[in-house]
Amino acid sequence: MSTHYLALDIGSTTVVAIVIDLDTNAVVGTASAANSSEVTSATDKRIGRSEWDLDAMTELAIENATALVARTNARPAAIGVTGQQQGLQLLDAALNAVGPYFSWQDQRAQEPLPGQQHTYLDAMAQQGGSITTEGEMPAFANTGCPLVAGHAAPHLFWLQANNQLPSGVSGTTAPEFVVSRLVGKRPVVDPTDALGWGVYDVTKQAWADELIADLGLDQSLFPDLVESCTMAGSLTTAMAQKLGVPAGLPVAVASGDHQCSFAGTVADYANTVAVNVGTGGQAALHIEAPLPRGSLELRPYIQRGYLLAGVGAVGGRTFRTLRDFFADAIYALADVQPDSEALYERLVSLAADVPAGAEGVRADPLFSGSRSRPRAKAAFRELTAATLTAGHLTRALLEGMAVELADSYREAIRLGGGARSKLVGAGNGIKLNPVLRAALEAEFAMPLHMGSHGEEAAVGAALCAAVADGAFGSIAEASAAFASG
């Protein structure tokens, strides 16, 4: 019997495939490809829209996985899938994509209604009876998160308000769409991804039916809920031929990339705080029962429990904003287009030459606000003529990011999540940045342990497939056996 498990991670920037081996507790191989399936027009990009061809994205993910299977000669026992949470793809009755995929980055729900001052999101919040605190984002009761434009339900609300929601369609998100294509069945969703619709009741572990009705949305738009780490179906013959694996291979239900990253990184759930920095960033604790979430999110975990998490305030895109500023300045002043990756490395190197504390320079890194402070702006403070340098600005920004992530942990403790004795990091934003690693250790007052496997979300998805296949009794057991953090 094979001990190999294949997983696909459908990310915003890249699509990733991974094969793990349970016998050796090792990653057999990984492959990645740039996600080139965006179809947003230049005009729409300028107003914050983000549209993608999800069939092309799926084909890209399959081609990437096919190359990995061929290179490793893997014979997986089952397949797992994870990927970007939130977003929306409409499907017709024959499961064909209707229109483009609106990604989690799409902000059309923040556009003002025609001839009015308030936005579609404001109207949705009012219509659904949201709980609103001055200066914070609205939130529906028991949904575990604030109401944000990238959720699937706001996309549906916008489409309906603009008479662009065809009859007879249903909705899905990217990971579930890929699973649907692999098994040839209608998409289903587990609790970890259902949260990203914005209308899932985390306490009842069910769709918030009354809220959905109040918003004027039809229940048929929403996929059926299923348990995590169960089988969605069997790999179709056509997909098996593309991948170079046997037809009928079990395919697990998709789970959210944040939860999968936790599963693929953290071996000891009870004693660990996990920090992940990719395009976004999260600091999370695993808890067994719901708690008041404050300004954090209460995200259903795989199979049981929750992640109490600070989400989205800072991440890789925060550092990218500063890098882009310097790239634009270099181009404007010297008519030279610097290499983006080389510029990242140079900025980190310059920051490493600046003492911890950035000689008094402080950064508020909220270029895009935060879930609790959506109107917040970024700022650099306490600058002098001697400290107005690329190294000081970079060091201060990275230390400010660490403060934001550690503040999430401190709030989780205040809410009753419990202090933890171990700090585990994941994501290239941490792995490739020694200055950020040092800043995190200083702010969390703990040594930082990095997971040894890499591509943690894909590892977690592979472990979900292994649990669904019966190799482990639970995802917690799988993490304890395979994860290194």
Side-chain angles (χ1 to χ4, degrees):
M1 176 184 254
S2 175
T3 57
H4 287 177
Y5 289 88
L6 170 68
L8 284 62
D9 180 2
I10 316 303
S12 307
T13 306
T14 59
V15 294
V16 173
I18 196 167
V19 174
I20 67 170
D21 183 5
L22 302 186
D23 264 355
T24 59
N25 268 16
V27 172
V28 176
T30 63
S32 64
N35 191 339
S36 56
S37 57
E38 186 172 8
V39 294
T40 320
S41 69
T43 300
D44 280 352
K45 275 189 179 182
R46 284 193 289 271
I47 59 174
R49 297 188 178 181
S50 180
E51 298 181 351
W52 301 70
D53 182 335
L54 203 45
D55 277 313
M57 194 184 301
T58 301
E59 190 63 29
L60 182 65
I62 296 299
E63 290 174 356
N64 184 57
T66 299
L68 176 63
V69 169
R71 174 162 55 85
T72 59
N73 292 315
R75 289 296 176 261
I79 301 173
V81 177
T82 188
Q84 50 187 292
Q85 297 168 274
Q86 307 175 20
L88 176 72
Q89 175 66 61
L90 296 179
L91 302 174
D92 65 17
L95 305 185
N96 298 307
V98 177
Y101 169 64
F102 299 167
S103 89
W104 63 274
Q105 301 174 88
D106 190 289
Q107 296 296 303
R108 71 188 66 215
Q110 291 281 28
E111 296 170 6
L113 280 88
Q116 301 188 43
Q117 295 295 316
H118 61 280
T119 67
Y120 291 94
L121 207 62
D122 294 333
M124 182 179 177
Q126 183 177 18
Q127 190 168 324
S130 73
I131 303 163
T132 305
T133 302
E134 181 64 29
E136 296 190 1
M137 300 178 76
F140 294 128
N142 300 322
T143 56
C145 59
L147 180 62
V148 297
H151 284 160
H155 290 323
L156 289 170
F157 189 85
W158 185 93
L159 287 165
Q160 182 155 282
N162 287 279
N163 298 313
Q164 294 183 32
L165 192 58
S167 61
V169 297
S170 59
T172 190
T173 55
E176 286 72 26
F177 181 91
V178 172
V179 170
S180 173
R181 289 296 190 259
L182 291 173
V183 301
K185 294 183 177 180
R186 181 165 296 282
V188 294
V189 65
D190 84 334
T192 68
D193 271 342
L195 181 86
W197 288 69
V199 289
Y200 176 77
D201 189 319
V202 297
T203 57
K204 295 180 180 177
Q205 298 185 21
W207 291 121
D209 293 335
E210 289 186 13
L211 171 59
I212 290 169
D214 288 343
L215 294 172
L217 299 173
D218 195 285
Q219 189 72 43
S220 64
L221 292 164
F222 296 80
D224 289 340
L225 289 163
V226 296
E227 294 183 4
S228 306
C229 295
T230 56
M231 289 304 178
S234 301
L235 191 67
T236 66
T237 299
M239 282 295 180
Q241 289 174 345
K242 286 185 177 182
L243 284 167
V245 299
L249 207 63
V251 180
V253 170
S255 288
D257 56 357
H258 181 204
Q259 293 89 334
C260 282
S261 178
F262 192 96
T265 306
V266 177
D268 180 4
Y269 291 2
N271 295 302
T272 301
V273 53
V275 179
N276 180 50
V277 178
T279 303
Q282 304 93 22
L285 309 178
H286 183 272
I287 56 176
E288 289 293 337
L291 289 172
R293 67 177 183 85
S295 66
L296 307 181
E297 291 196 12
L298 185 65
R299 295 185 158 189
Y301 190 60
I302 302 162
Q303 291 189 306
R304 60 178 289 178
Y306 300 84
L307 295 183
L308 188 58
V311 176
V314 294
R317 66 180 180 275
T318 308
F319 188 20
R320 184 178 65 208
T321 300
L322 185 65
R323 180 209 64 180
D324 289 348
F325 164 76
F326 283 112
D328 291 344
I330 292 168
Y331 182 73
L333 295 171
D335 198 24
V336 173
Q337 189 67 60
D339 177 83
S340 296
E341 294 306 314
L343 189 52
Y344 269 133
E345 293 173 6
R346 182 58 178 157
L347 288 172
V348 171
S349 176
L350 291 170
D353 291 336
V354 174
E359 297 188 292
V361 180
R362 296 290 179 266
D364 298 324
L366 303 181
F367 291 109
S368 303
S370 69
R371 299 285 171 94
S372 60
R373 292 184 288 154
R375 295 182 180 86
K377 300 291 189 294
F380 288 92
R381 296 177 283 108
E382 308 300 330
L383 287 160
T384 68
T387 59
L388 184 55
T389 72
H392 286 83
L393 293 177
T394 302
R395 177 117 209 172
L397 183 76
L398 295 173
E399 291 180 346
M401 290 169 59
V403 169
E404 288 291 331
L405 291 164
D407 279 350
S408 297
Y409 170 56
R410 289 186 274 264
E411 182 171 7
I413 294 173
R414 181 183 64 79
L415 292 167
R420 305 300 161 105
S421 58
K422 192 171 186 179
L423 174 65
V424 172
N428 286 336
I430 298 177
K431 288 178 184 173
L432 303 178
N433 195 325
V435 177
L436 181 56
R437 292 199 300 272
L440 288 168
E441 290 187 329
E443 278 299 319
F444 282 84
M446 285 184 273
L448 176 66
H449 303 274
M450 295 301 298
S452 62
H453 293 308
E455 300 297 354
E456 295 87 355
V459 169
L463 293 177
C464 286
V467 174
D469 191 44
F472 296 104
S474 68
I475 192 65
E477 179 187 330
S479 295
F482 194 88
S484 57

